[in-house]
Amino acid sequence: MKKGVVIIGFGGQGKWHAKHILASDVVTLAGVYDIRKERNDMATEMGIHAFASLQELLEAKADIALIATPNDVHKQLAIAAMASGKHVICEKPVTLNVADYDEIIAAAKQYGKVFEVHQNRRWDVDFLAMKELINSEKIGKPLYISSIVHGSRGIPGDWRTQKEYGGGMLYDWGIHMIDQLLQLIPAPIVSLYCMTTHYTNSEVDDGYKLYLTFANGVTAFSEVGTYNFISMPRFYGQFEQGTSIIADWHDSMRVVECLNWGEGEVHPVQTASGITKTMAPRSNLSVNEYIAPKPVSDVHDFYRNLVAAIDGKAEKLIADAEVRRVLQVLEAAFESAAKKQVIHFSSPL
Ligand code: NAD
């Protein structure tokens, strides 16, 4: 039997979940509640039951509560939902700091409930393409990974521009980008440096640049920008035997494998102030270039895994320790940006 889900917060992401839950093979939608009446009215118009109050939702017979409100109230709602006997799916960023997250995990233990964070960008095909290339070692191990997301409309919406709600792009997109990078590079972090930008908003960051150094020597760069009228490539990777690039969300990954490092005769190219061999393109004979097949991904696997975890048949795909580590990186990134200093971890993170 499908498990019943109630959604708290029926804005953009609450609606996204409602759409997917209505099409799910493992969960069904039991109703929604939003503090704004017009959102509840919208749900009713869509044929979805709207609870009259949070209390009514908490008292309802449902297996899972899904929290899709602004970030500052995730903790109190998650704990209340688990106290009412429900398992919980919580939107990212789960909390604004590690201490609040620890309180949620303690409550999950206390009430014996499954709590999982919706880090849904683990199902993004661009990320999965990079993961497959790294795992296959087709062009060796990674040396450097760059993960960039650029927009040109500033911080979206209302609460995302305000600190008290947990606004800013490090919380909004950074949490996804850091989570993905930690999945791609399975090694402890020894140091990081972060710069935040405030081109369009002084209260919270409208973008950031983050450098991570791992204990295995791999480095990573993550950038989110909302004032970029031309975008940099989504993913770029330097490997022991080649380079990979994914230009944009829906593009396939282009891979150039180095076949012959010392390729022999090099024909120089003309630059603005002279010729160069160093920056000249390689001959086609010394490289193997190909387009990698796009990975297949299904966002419904998130709900399927959660239900299997509730039934004791699987481990959660988004593990508590992984979520906690991403929050630790985020805290250190804010510290680095505030102090304008590199943060060194005495015990690698
Ligand atoms: P939104 O502003 O569109 O919707 C939030 C809704 O929550 C609003 O309708 C608001 O009235 C309601 N709300 C606020 N406080 C509430 C409370 N105490 N009880 C009940 N309802 C309350 O915001 P959004 O874009 O839907 O973002 C919601 C959450 O989802 C955020 O945590 C955000 O980071 C996350 N999100 C995740 C993804 C993803 O890809 N995983 C994408 C977008 C948003």
Side-chain angles (χ1 to χ4, degrees), residues 52-100:
S53 64
L54 176 65
Q55 195 53 36
E56 197 181 287
L57 175 145
L58 293 175
E59 285 167 9
K61 273 203 168 160
D63 306 281
I64 302 162
L66 189 154
I67 297 163
T69 62
N71 306 330
D72 59 314
V73 287
H74 287 176
K75 180 180 85 173
Q76 68 194 61
L77 291 170
I79 294 175
M82 289 190 286
S84 81
K86 293 171 185 57
H87 304 285
V88 168
I89 298 171
C90 185
E91 265 307 337
K92 47 51 59 176
V94 56
T95 53
L96 305 183
N97 56 57
V98 177
D100 282 351

Side-chain angles (χ1 to χ4, degrees), residues 37 53 67 108 120 123 138 162 187 252 302 336:
K37 184 179 176 304
S53 64
I67 297 163
N120 55 318
W123 279 265
K138 273 191 182 146
Q162 296 171 57
S252 293
F302 175 83
S336 170

Side-chain angles (χ1 to χ4, degrees), residues 16-49:
W16 186 94
H17 279 287
K19 183 180 135 200
H20 286 89
I21 290 169
L22 286 168
S24 171
D25 49 359
V26 291
V27 284
T28 178
L29 190 56
V32 305
Y33 168 70
D34 195 291
I35 41 164
R36 281 155 70 179
K37 184 179 176 304
E38 65 267 28
R39 295 280 160 101
N40 291 326
D41 291 346
M42 187 197 300
T44 310
E45 276 166 31
M46 292 165 70
I48 296 169
H49 175 69

Side-chain angles (χ1 to χ4, degrees), residues 261-283:
W261 168 241
E263 59 178 335
E265 182 74 17
V266 177
H267 300 287
V269 285
Q270 186 71 42
T271 68
S273 342
I275 59 166
T276 174
K277 282 188 176 182
T278 316
M279 303 304 167
R282 283 187 159 262
S283 81

Side-chain angles (χ1 to χ4, degrees), residues 106-177:
K109 286 206 178 86
Q110 181 187 345
Y111 297 115
K113 295 295 157 194
V114 175
F115 176 87
E116 189 161 15
V117 183
H118 189 233
Q119 289 294 161
N120 55 318
R121 291 199 175 275
R122 294 220 193 153
W123 279 265
D124 283 10
V125 287
D126 52 336
F127 159 72
L128 290 173
M130 284 299 283
K131 197 167 178 216
E132 275 183 27
L133 183 66
I134 290 171
N135 290 348
S136 74
E137 295 195 11
K138 273 191 182 146
I139 54 171
K141 294 189 194 319
L143 305 170
Y144 168 78
I145 304 287
S146 160
S147 168
I148 297 178
V149 177
H150 280 159
S152 63
R153 291 180 186 82
I155 304 171
D158 43 11
W159 61 266
R160 280 181 173 80
T161 62
Q162 296 171 57
K163 203 178 167 96
E164 65 174 302
Y165 297 105
M169 297 315 285
L170 257 169
Y171 279 134
D172 200 38
W173 275 87
I175 197 96
H176 283 304
M177 302 295 105

